[in-house]
Amino acid sequence: MLSQAFPRLVSRAARVSPIGKARFSSQSSPSVPFLASKTAIGTSTLLAAGSLAWYNHLYGTSSLLPEASANSAAENGMHPTTWPFEHYGPFETFNHASIRRGYQVYREVCSACHSLDRIAWRNLVGVSHTVDEAKAMAEEVEYTDGPNDEGEMFQRPGKLADYMPAPYPNEEAARAGNGGGLPPDLSLIVKARHGNADYIYSLLTGYCDPPAGVKLAEGMNYNPYFPGGGIAMARVLFDGLVEYDDGTPATSSQMAKDVTVFLNWAAEPEHDQRKKMGLQALMILSTLTAISLYVKRFKWSYLKTRKIVYDPPKPARHGPL
Amino acid sequence: MAIENQQTAAAPVEETTSLFSSLVSYFVPTAHAEAPEESDEPAEEASEEPAEEEEEEEEEPEDIAPAIREECETKTCADHVHHFKHCQEKVEAGKGFPGEDCVEEFFHVLHCVDACAAPKIFKKLA
């Protein structure tokens, strides 16, 4: 065993000490094991150098060197700061007026390229619009339904249960319409990006001239918040692009904020309910804690307030016997 | 039949107001977006807001963000802007090392300006 693992050690030990020699006499023939021989060393060195040379010949020397990693500040994108959205507090709901305005921005601006597959008209009811408003909006869109009695598909006005219409029938059409870039579906976009709502707001308002030395591919726009800097989407929000029903001035910051809140709602429709449930849980748990503390004191009061008095026996008049 | 259906449809709405939920709604008021209430809200908003906005509504509204950001650039973030400008001049004059860009300097400016401007901008948004 030992001689197999460390052939040189063993053979040297065998050579040096006569005791060792005596002990390993059964194995220690004067011939060195092959792996310890000079031939083995020479061959393996040649093999290593040869494979290195052959690899370099095939793939080039640089293939062995570490390559540039995509980890610079520009490649990661600018990290968005925390924008103080109203719904960020632990007990805060969405700003629903903002959701309503944000829907308008989505409908009039974003929906030209971006789908919102997972939101149905009914989802808007009670969140940003009334039933009647949502129904009226759904009816403006034509949906294919069927088959009817004759086995044919037909067009009908939308219902509350229909999902938001997509701008393109499929991904290829979307790419073809946008110079090869695919506008992502926005249903879960807030959850799907690092920085969440902060990122969306920063991205929408962050378009600017590229700093010196930045080269953009053709058809790309510079946005520091987008990883890599070059984004296929151009700046879309300009002051006064939409006209809000409630009279809020439609500046680009305002529209960006509204549409971000809307998309945050689309990604987390359970948000308000979740925080309400959190508060309910707090109510119940704190009440139970208070009750249990009170009950504990109540139950223990009997034990805690009792007094153990040691009343030693009176010494006998005549002393111990 | 139609009337019956309506009644059965309306019944669950009443059922949801159990003891617990009414107790909860006592502490945590809920806004219901039924048609009449919704029609109230815009009226309130409309009565509150025009005072500030009538001036702006006439023409194209002007964004408050650029002015706030510029103020941040000149005051809080002057150091970062100085470095960024230095880099810009160097690279544009072709004195930088090959492939040099000013992205990092620019990010430092942005990092500072964003942190400075974010609360100020959001304070002025509806």
Side-chain angles (χ1 to χ4, degrees):
Chain A
M1 280 291 282
L2 191 71
S3 64
Q4 274 173 350
F6 306 102
R8 288 186 72 182
L9 271 181
V10 172
S11 63
R12 194 182 296 159
R15 242 180 285 143
V16 170
S17 77
I19 306 166
K21 195 172 189 178
R23 194 166 283 171
F24 294 107
S25 59
S26 63
Q27 286 181 343
S28 68
S29 55
S31 67
V32 186
F34 173 71
L35 283 178
S37 68
K38 284 187 178 172
T39 332
I41 294 172
T43 322
S44 61
T45 312
L46 267 180
L47 189 70
S51 67
L52 196 77
W54 182 239
Y55 188 89
N56 281 350
H57 170 67
L58 286 178
Y59 302 108
T61 317
S62 62
S63 63
L64 282 173
L65 300 172
E67 291 183 18
S69 71
N71 208 23
S72 74
E75 283 148 348
N76 277 320
M78 174 74 200
H79 191 83
T81 189
T82 304
W83 291 89
F85 284 99
E86 285 105 333
H87 63 268
Y88 272 4
F91 301 115
E92 304 300 322
T93 63
F94 282 126
N95 178 347
H96 283 246
S98 193
I99 295 181
R100 189 182 166 95
R101 291 192 297 266
Y103 170 76
Q104 192 183 343
V105 176
Y106 167 75
R107 176 57 52 213
E108 290 180 21
V109 185
C110 315
S111 69
C113 300
H114 290 277
S115 55
L116 194 69
D117 287 345
R118 285 155 201 261
I119 300 296
W121 296 105
R122 61 182 162 77
N123 294 129
L124 297 177
V125 175
V127 174
S128 58
H129 294 73
T130 64
V131 183
D132 302 332
E133 284 170 332
K135 272 183 185 166
M137 289 191 299
E139 277 164 13
E140 283 169 23
V141 186
E142 289 248 300
Y143 285 87
T144 308
D145 202 350
N148 60 9
D149 294 345
E150 283 138 32
E152 277 161 22
M153 305 301 279
F154 58 92
Q155 296 293 113
R156 60 156 176 80
K159 306 186 279 195
L160 281 181
D162 286 316
Y163 283 78
M164 298 271 165
Y168 299 104
N170 49 51
E171 186 184 323
E172 286 73 11
R175 284 190 187 280
N178 290 289
L182 174 68
D185 182 71
L186 295 184
S187 312
L188 294 168
I189 202 75
V190 167
K191 274 183 174 173
R193 295 290 179 271
H194 279 292
N196 304 355
D198 296 329
Y199 167 76
I200 305 292
Y201 181 88
S202 298
L203 188 85
L204 289 175
T205 54
Y207 285 91
C208 59
D209 295 329
V214 172
K215 291 177 194 74
L216 286 174
E218 206 187 318
M220 290 292 180
N221 305 280
Y222 185 72
N223 193 315
Y225 298 94
F226 194 72
I231 182 169
M233 181 174 95
R235 181 181 168 185
V236 281
L237 296 180
F238 294 95
D239 294 348
L241 191 62
V242 302
E243 199 166 313
Y244 285 134
D245 298 337
D246 59 5
T248 310
T251 62
S252 47
S253 302
Q254 182 68 50
M255 286 187 287
K257 184 201 162 188
D258 291 341
V259 83
T260 306
V261 174
F262 171 71
L263 292 177
N264 203 150
W265 165 78
E268 288 183 284
E270 82 292 349
H271 173 278
D272 291 357
Q273 189 63 28
R274 173 162 58 79
K275 287 185 176 171
K276 190 177 167 188
M277 281 178 75
L279 198 51
Q280 290 175 358
L282 268 186
M283 268 161 53
I284 294 168
L285 293 178
S286 57
T287 312
L288 289 179
T289 310
I291 290 175
S292 65
L293 288 175
Y294 170 76
V295 170
K296 186 258 169 189
R297 271 179 78 92
F298 182 72
K299 293 280 185 195
W300 279 79
S301 62
Y302 174 68
L303 285 171
K304 291 273 189 185
T305 54
R306 80 183 164 170
K307 196 172 180 181
I308 299 173
V309 180
Y310 177 59
D311 195 7
K314 282 174 188 143
R317 220 172 275 159
H318 44 75
L321 276 177
Chain B
M1 272 305 280
I3 297 164
E4 266 180 42
N5 280 344
Q6 277 175 358
Q7 281 174 339
T8 48
V13 180
E14 283 171 51
E15 274 177 77
T16 51
T17 56
S18 64
L19 176 67
F20 180 70
S21 67
S22 59
L23 182 75
V24 168
S25 64
Y26 179 76
F27 294 105
V28 190
T30 316
H32 290 282
E34 298 303 327
E37 278 191 55
E38 189 73 36
S39 63
D40 284 348
E41 279 173 36
E44 283 172 32
E45 282 171 32
S47 62
E48 286 169 21
E49 281 168 33
E52 309 160 22
E53 284 146 21
E54 257 169 27
E55 315 139 28
E56 285 169 300
E57 253 181 300
E58 305 278 308
E59 292 161 21
E60 217 163 68
E62 204 193 321
D63 200 352
I64 27 90
I68 294 175
R69 296 185 75 96
E70 203 155 298
E71 200 191 321
C72 285
E73 277 175 27
T74 51
K75 288 181 184 165
T76 324
C77 308
D79 279 1
H80 298 287
V81 173
H82 172 75
H83 285 295
F84 175 58
K85 277 185 181 159
H86 175 73
C87 174
Q88 289 279 92
E89 280 163 20
K90 191 175 83 173
V91 172
E92 272 164 9
K95 288 177 191 163
F97 60 82
E100 182 173 359
D101 58 33
C102 298
V103 170
E104 281 193 33
E105 286 81 355
F106 182 53
F107 279 16
H108 291 156
V109 173
L110 267 188
H111 183 85
C112 175
V113 171
D114 277 357
C116 161
K120 293 176 191 164
I121 293 174
F122 264 48
K123 214 168 265 179
K124 301 207 171 169
L125 295 182

